[in-house]
Amino acid sequence: MMPVVSVTMNPVLDLGGDVDQIIPNEKNYIKNETRFPGGNAINASRMISRLGVPTIATGFLGGGIGSEIRALLEKENIPTHFISIAGHSRIGITVSNLDSHLQTRLSFPGPWIKKEEFESLTNYLSSLPEGSLVVMGGSFPQGIDLVQVKEMLTLLRDKGIYHIIDVPGKALAQLIDSQPVLIKPNLVEFQDLVGKELTSKEEVIKAAVPFLQKVKLICISSVEGGALLLSKEGGWFGKIPPVEVRTTVGAGDSMVGVMCAKLNEWGIETDKTDELLRWGLAASCATLTTRGTQLGALESIQKYLSEVEIIKEVINS
């Protein structure tokens, strides 16, 4: 089985901890400090690895923070092939209220990526074997031209390298013509993509159908308390069981990671789309119920599999 290659353009060192409460203009002492490698696609790789599927993490890393991110991934036995950059990788801070589990999240912008650094990443990805699966996720750092990203993804497609995209809605609008296998916007991001407000499943499905000419699978989360997975062959709607939410960090990334792992295992032409959604939602649920930025464990994913509710949806082309 070939490894799933995750591409994180703007990796982050996720610092986490707990407080009794945050008091403005006062020194707030953090308990239970955690440090994890982060960024959408990095989190996808971490979840892919939990399922025993091979994965390689790539993107851009620089400075001492970049070195720590690389070391933390290697500690989780995730091979890396990051492009070293002149700039410094960023940090993110997530502070959780111990009583309410509400979180304060601070995200820094990240480094400037030079043209030659981007070209090095393109050269690496285009050298992957035909049939490889690449997942690109997260925000884009300064210096990245989305036109060049689209050209890179189109090059991969033309070489027979499949790709999945999990990026903000406005960026997705510029990259979707590269014909990814799967996109996974949440409802807000999907509304950014289509340029209008949507509320019901029916409205979302109607707006999504035209994109199935460019994308094999469209997964849209946060729709009526659940998630839709749509293809030309049909659609499914799924919901997780009622749980105590301890964090929202990495829940969507966990969903993407497990779906990547299953597509890599079953093949992108799989007809198990209902099970693909079930696994994705179980992974999301496992992370939602895990404190901080640790991501859900395989045992938790397996526990929630049978508790995810999946129903068939009618797709009118």
Side-chain angles (χ1 to χ4, degrees):
M1 185 187 301
M2 287 187 290
V4 180
V5 179
S6 68
V7 182
T8 309
M9 297 277 188
N10 205 8
V12 59
L13 175 64
D14 276 327
L15 306 181
D18 303 321
V19 293
D20 295 316
Q21 61 177 318
I22 292 182
I23 304 173
N25 300 319
E26 295 290 339
K27 185 180 290 184
N28 294 274
Y29 291 93
I30 308 297
K31 309 172 186 178
N32 307 319
E33 178 185 332
T34 59
R35 306 172 79 91
F36 289 102
N40 291 36
I42 280 178
N43 283 336
S45 261
R46 294 172 65 204
M47 191 56 75
I48 291 165
S49 180
R50 280 160 166 74
L51 269 67
V53 173
T55 184
I56 298 172
T58 189
F60 304 109
L61 286 178
I65 297 298
S67 296
E68 184 171 358
I69 292 170
R70 193 192 311 267
L72 287 169
L73 284 167
E74 291 171 354
K75 188 176 180 181
E76 294 190 28
N77 298 313
I78 296 174
T80 65
H81 193 287
F82 284 97
I83 306 303
S84 295
I85 60 172
H88 295 265
S89 297
R90 64 188 178 125
I91 62 170
I93 300 171
T94 301
V95 180
S96 302
N97 184 296
L98 283 169
D99 293 328
S100 66
H101 300 303
L102 293 176
Q103 295 178 318
T104 299
R105 299 172 65 180
L106 304 175
S107 182
F108 292 84
W112 185 278
I113 304 301
K114 297 180 179 180
K115 179 181 178 182
E116 56 268 28
E117 294 166 345
F118 183 83
E119 289 173 351
S120 294
L121 178 62
T122 300
N123 290 338
Y124 167 64
L125 293 175
S126 62
S127 72
L128 295 173
E130 182 178 352
S132 294
L133 181 61
V134 170
V135 54
M136 177 180 291
S139 63
F140 293 94
Q142 303 169 85
I144 293 293
D145 183 346
L146 289 177
V147 172
Q148 291 179 314
V149 176
K150 178 183 171 183
E151 290 173 351
M152 179 182 74
L153 293 175
T154 302
L155 173 64
L156 298 185
R157 182 200 69 201
D158 292 344
K159 285 178 169 285
I161 300 167
Y162 304 111
H163 64 281
I164 288 169
I165 305 177
D166 180 24
V167 298
K170 292 180 180 178
L172 181 58
Q174 298 185 58
L175 301 180
I176 199 167
D177 285 341
S178 65
Q179 299 179 11
V181 172
L182 167 71
I183 59 172
K184 199 223 70 66
N186 59 33
L187 181 58
V188 172
E189 292 168 335
F190 186 68
Q191 289 176 150
D192 284 342
L193 174 63
V194 301
K196 61 181 177 180
E197 185 175 344
L198 305 164
T199 54
S200 68
K201 284 191 295 182
E202 292 74 20
E203 289 175 336
V204 173
I205 291 171
K206 183 178 179 181
V209 165
F211 293 102
L212 292 173
Q213 301 302 316
K214 301 176 180 178
V215 184
K216 180 176 177 59
L217 295 165
I218 301 175
C219 183
I220 305 166
S221 59
S222 304
V223 180
E224 293 189 10
L228 286 162
L229 181 60
L230 310 174
S231 72
K232 287 182 178 179
E233 287 70 42
W236 301 91
F237 178 72
K239 276 189 173 184
I240 64 172
V243 294
E244 181 183 9
V245 175
R246 294 183 174 274
T247 184
T248 57
V249 178
D253 306 338
S254 299
M255 186 176 192
V256 171
V258 166
M259 293 174 86
C260 286
K262 290 302 173 183
L263 284 170
N264 200 52
E265 178 183 347
W266 298 337
I268 65 163
E269 299 298 334
T270 182
D271 58 359
K272 300 179 183 179
T273 48
D274 57 335
E275 286 303 298
L276 190 64
L277 181 59
R278 183 183 302 279
W279 274 93
L281 284 170
S284 178
C285 191
T287 293
L288 287 169
T289 54
T290 302
R291 186 178 64 83
T293 57
Q294 300 179 66
L295 303 185
L298 176 58
E299 295 77 11
S300 295
I301 297 171
Q302 293 170 329
K303 168 190 169 185
Y304 288 120
L305 270 175
S306 62
E307 300 179 37
V308 172
E309 177 188 358
I310 303 289
I311 61 172
K312 183 77 172 175
E313 292 290 335
V314 176
I315 306 294
N316 295 314
S317 300

